[in-house]
Structures are given as structure tokens and as C-alpha cells.
Amino acid sequence: MPINYYIFLSIALFCIGIAGVLTRRNAIIIFMCIELMLNAVNLLLVAFSKMHSAAAAALPDAATVGTDGQLFVFFIMVVAAAEVSVGLAIIVMMYRNIHSVDVNFLNRLKH
Amino acid sequence: MNITQILFWLLSVTALFGAMMVVTSRNPVYSVLWLILTFFSISGHYILLNAQFLAIVNIIVYAGAIMVLFLFVIMLMNLNKNAEPTRGRWIKFAGAISGGCLLLVLVAALRSTEVSSKSVQVGVGEIGLIKNLGRELFTNYVVPFEISSILFLSAMIGAVVIGKKD
């Protein structure tokens, strides 16, 4: 499978996420679009890791070439889980204070 | 066209369609469900690339834990009705145009690079198995692994402190 296909699929997913962040007003959906962008990058990292392991099949340490990319994906998932817990706590607090999750109500930084 | 390519195109179409529906759904609960579909198809891509550990972790952590947390918050706020005020039509149009422009620029820039002639191992290779990843994680990457546990602890404390009613 050419690496081109994975690159274009990841770019498409990432751009859909960007368009969602720009067009929606619900803070939770904006947050979900950020998760979508993180997953697009994860998919690209795994594809590149498999590409490097395919290119290094003849080297003596071929068993571990490309493992780094998959471990980066693992750490991205760890950070994303921590980010979601804190971010959703912030959204809940925002909802408790202004009774809405509309990001347009937050553009004045006072309330 | 063999079975791997058919699966690749099927999973890609599913992922892209799910992502589009996440952005365009009016109801946040439907958005969460479409996002779960997208995550499952991305996990299918991981299985296709023989990254079995990441496929399982993606399903457990993303589709299992994070999306349940999203659903829980949406239910808690009683947002499962179509009450979201919409942006103006021009703002939506401008957002879609900006995303499309970024797509165009990235595709045009990466279409004919040197890397684009290489190919990906599909269905074979052992680096995605849990044996290899575990050995690497507990030898070369043991310090970031332990630091991530501290990150989790601080995130948990932070979420409790922020969410506490004072």
C-alpha cells in the first residue's frame, strides 16, 4: 500500500477536524474535533512507522526499527486522556457559571 | 484488487464519512456516536497495519473511556436536544473554505515529495506486537512512561479541583 494514501487520508481527517473547530459553536463538539485531529496524526505516525520498518528490513536491528513511532502514538493517547479529563471539567464548570456551552458567550473574558 | 485494498478503501470511506457526520450533526449525542464509528475504523486501519496493541488501546481508551466521558457530560448538561444556536451562513461558509484551502495546500505540497514513492508494510511485520512495544517501552522509554503516570495523577487532581463545587 503506498504511503501516499495514508498521507491523504490523514490530511482529509485533519482538515475535517479544522473545519469543525471553525464552524461549530458548541464547546463539546469543538473538543471532539480536536480529538479527531489527534487521531489523524496518530494514524499517520503508525503508517510512517510501518514504512520505516519496511525500508529497514535488511538491517541487523530490523526488529526494532519503527517502534518509536508507535510508542509516540501511545504517549499521544496518554496525553489525550489527561487532556480530555481536564477539558471536560473546565466545560462543566463553564456550564455551571454561564448555563451554556456556546463559545460565543466567552469572547469577552468577563462575566 | 485484493482483500487488503478493499478493506483499506472501505475503512477510509467509513472514517471520512463518520468525520463529516461528526461536524454536520445537529445533535451532540449523534456526533459522539459518529466519532465512535470513526475511531473504530481507525482501529481497523491499525489492525490492517498489524499494529495490534495500538488498535486495542485505541478502542479501549478512545472509544471506551473518552467517548463515554463525553456522553456522560452531554447527558449531565441535558444538551441532547437541538438547541444549539447556529453560526451565520457566511461564518460556516468561511470555515469550510478555510479547511478546504488547508486540504488543498497540504495535498499539493505532499503530492510529489520524495517520501511519496515509498510503500507501507500491510499485514506483516512484528513491530506492532505487544512483545516488541513492551520491551522498548520498559527499556528505552521507561522515564517518559513513569512521567506519564505523574501526568495522569496531576490531571486527576486538576479535574477534581476544577469540578468541585465551591
Side-chain angles (χ1 to χ4, degrees), chain A residues 56-88:
Chain A
L59 296 182
D61 58 344
T64 59
V65 171
T67 319
D68 307 12
Q70 305 208 3
L71 283 175
F72 281 165
V73 173
F74 177 70
F75 284 119
I76 288 174
M77 284 179 186
V78 167
V79 173
E83 171 224 337
V84 163
S85 64
V86 176
L88 282 179

Side-chain angles (χ1 to χ4, degrees), chain B residues 36-55:
Chain B
I36 289 174
L37 177 74
T38 308
F39 286 162
F40 267 98
S41 53
I42 288 176
S43 285
H45 273 295
Y46 291 162
I47 292 175
L48 212 58
L49 289 166
N50 217 10
Q52 302 167 2
F53 173 67
L54 287 178

Side-chain angles (χ1 to χ4, degrees), chain A residues 78 82, chain B residues 143-158:
Chain A
V78 167
Chain B
V143 178
F145 183 72
E146 298 295 337
I147 290 176
S148 69
S149 71
I150 299 174
L151 175 73
F152 265 130
L153 186 65
S154 56
M156 189 185 76
I157 295 172

Side-chain angles (χ1 to χ4, degrees), chain B residues 81-101:
Chain B
K81 52 184 182 293
N82 301 327
E84 181 190 355
T86 53
R87 283 193 199 267
R89 189 193 300 149
W90 291 108
I91 300 289
K92 274 185 182 170
F93 193 63
I97 290 293
S98 319
C101 281

Side-chain angles (χ1 to χ4, degrees), chain B residues 130-148:
Chain B
I130 195 164
K131 183 182 162 198
N132 277 313
L133 285 180
R135 194 193 296 121
E136 192 79 3
L137 189 61
F138 285 106
T139 51
N140 289 336
Y141 286 86
V142 67
V143 178
F145 183 72
E146 298 295 337
I147 290 176
S148 69

Side-chain angles (χ1 to χ4, degrees), chain B residues 63-121:
Chain B
I66 293 181
M67 285 299 116
V68 167
L69 201 60
F70 271 105
L71 266 185
F72 186 70
V73 169
I74 289 173
M75 298 290 179
L76 194 70
M77 293 178 184
N78 202 10
L79 287 178
N80 46 357
K81 52 184 182 293
N82 301 327
E84 181 190 355
T86 53
R87 283 193 199 267
R89 189 193 300 149
W90 291 108
I91 300 289
K92 274 185 182 170
F93 193 63
I97 290 293
S98 319
C101 281
L102 183 66
L103 179 77
L104 203 66
V105 167
L106 284 176
V107 166
L110 292 172
R111 195 166 52 87
S112 57
T113 47
E114 186 236 351
V115 76
S116 66
S117 59
K118 296 186 177 167
S119 69
V120 177
Q121 265 183 335

